[in-house]
Amino acid sequence: MLVHSRAGRWTAWTVFFVLFLPLFALPFLVVLAASFATHWSGALPSVPTLAHYREALHGDSLHALTTSLLTATGASVFALVLGGWAALAAERLPRRLRRVVDALFMLPLAVPSVVVGLCLLVAFSQPPFLLNGTAWIVVLAHTVLVTAFAHQSVGAALTRLDPAYEQSAASLGARPLYVLWRIRLPLLLPSLTAAAGLCFALSMGELSATVMLYPPGWVPLPVRIYSATSRGSLFEGAALAVVMMAATLAVLLGVSRIRNRAAHR
């Protein structure tokens, strides 16, 4: 849209495809092809099969997918509540204190996620907050890792809100809670849904902290993919990866539809 000449548009499209195909599309296509393969000794896979997908959608693999969906959903909800509420509260703070709050929420992103997992493992392995060995510590770890994105998304959206809506409602006698529920949150809904989709996608693919914390009965799908590939079952791992990408994409498309409906209201 920003390139007006025909030669410039062709150049832009050429550069896009030259960079997109080998860096992004080709790896996904290789994983997709491997998920149907029985052998891969030449340039292309051979003896196509659906057995890997049958295994991926049954038994422990299906349980791992369900675990990942539940974990990502829980982490996204908690991240939206905590990050969004903190952004709303920090809006009234002085600029220096607001920067401190932003830094605290960004701190988990400044260290490797395995460090976050270790911190939670040490902090919640003794009473009165004994979460080690439960599914809650996995959800908590994912929440800690993705809340920063919800906080930043809502905070950025708040800076773009027109204060006239809130001021008009307040001048008519609306209480702060009513203004928040009926005016501010509906205006923030597109940003909230976008943050929810991002948090969900990041949680679905999180591995490093999860490996340190997951209990035997709560094995997310990335852990199962890692286990399959580490023991040499590359084709099984590829099928699990495709299933995880498809499930994540389906949820993101659903969130996108909700966002578009909210934006057109």
Side-chain angles (χ1 to χ4, degrees):
M1 296 297 293
L2 299 179
V3 180
H4 299 286
S5 66
R6 185 174 182 180
R9 287 196 295 268
W10 277 105
T11 301
W13 279 109
T14 301
V15 172
F16 170 76
F17 281 111
V18 168
L19 295 177
F20 175 78
L21 289 177
L23 295 180
F24 298 98
L26 188 58
F28 286 110
L29 292 175
V30 169
V31 171
L32 181 62
S35 66
F36 291 100
T38 303
H39 303 285
W40 198 327
S41 56
L44 296 174
S46 58
V47 192
T49 180
L50 294 175
H52 306 309
Y53 283 100
R54 285 194 292 268
E55 295 177 1
L57 297 175
H58 291 85
D60 292 339
S61 297
L62 180 60
H63 184 267
L65 174 61
T66 304
T67 299
S68 287
L69 292 172
L70 293 175
T71 301
T73 301
S76 300
V77 171
F78 292 145
L80 281 179
V81 173
L82 296 175
W85 188 262
L88 288 167
E91 185 187 19
R92 306 297 185 184
L93 295 177
R95 180 173 298 180
R96 290 185 178 180
L97 288 179
R98 197 186 315 157
R99 290 178 178 176
V100 172
V101 174
D102 292 342
L104 290 175
F105 276 93
M106 296 299 293
L107 183 60
L109 303 181
V111 297
S113 57
V114 67
V115 176
V116 175
L118 178 61
C119 293
L120 294 176
L121 187 65
V122 173
F124 296 102
S125 292
Q126 297 292 335
F129 302 108
L130 181 58
L131 298 180
N132 187 19
T134 69
W136 288 108
I137 196 170
V138 180
V139 177
L140 177 61
H142 287 220
T143 302
V144 171
L145 292 171
V146 302
T147 299
F149 298 98
H151 177 75
Q152 291 296 316
S153 179
V154 176
L158 286 171
T159 61
R160 298 192 298 268
L161 283 184
D162 189 350
Y165 296 104
E166 181 180 357
Q167 293 169 0
S168 299
S171 66
L172 294 173
R175 296 182 178 181
L177 184 60
Y178 181 89
V179 174
L180 174 65
W181 183 255
R182 297 301 299 270
I183 297 176
R184 306 198 79 190
L185 288 182
L187 292 174
L188 290 172
L189 187 57
S191 297
L192 289 172
T193 53
L198 178 60
C199 292
F200 184 89
L202 293 173
S203 177
M204 283 291 290
E206 209 294 315
L207 176 63
S208 299
T210 309
V211 169
M212 299 188 63
L213 299 171
Y214 76 94
W218 195 263
V219 182
L221 195 55
V223 176
R224 189 161 181 84
I225 294 172
Y226 175 77
S227 300
T229 54
S230 63
R231 66 173 184 266
S233 301
L234 299 180
F235 302 142
E236 177 187 348
L240 292 172
V242 172
V243 169
M244 183 179 71
M245 289 188 291
T248 304
L249 181 61
V251 173
L252 293 181
L253 289 175
V255 172
S256 178
R257 292 191 63 180
I258 296 174
R259 182 186 180 187
N260 291 336
R261 289 180 180 178
H264 288 87
R265 286 183 177 179

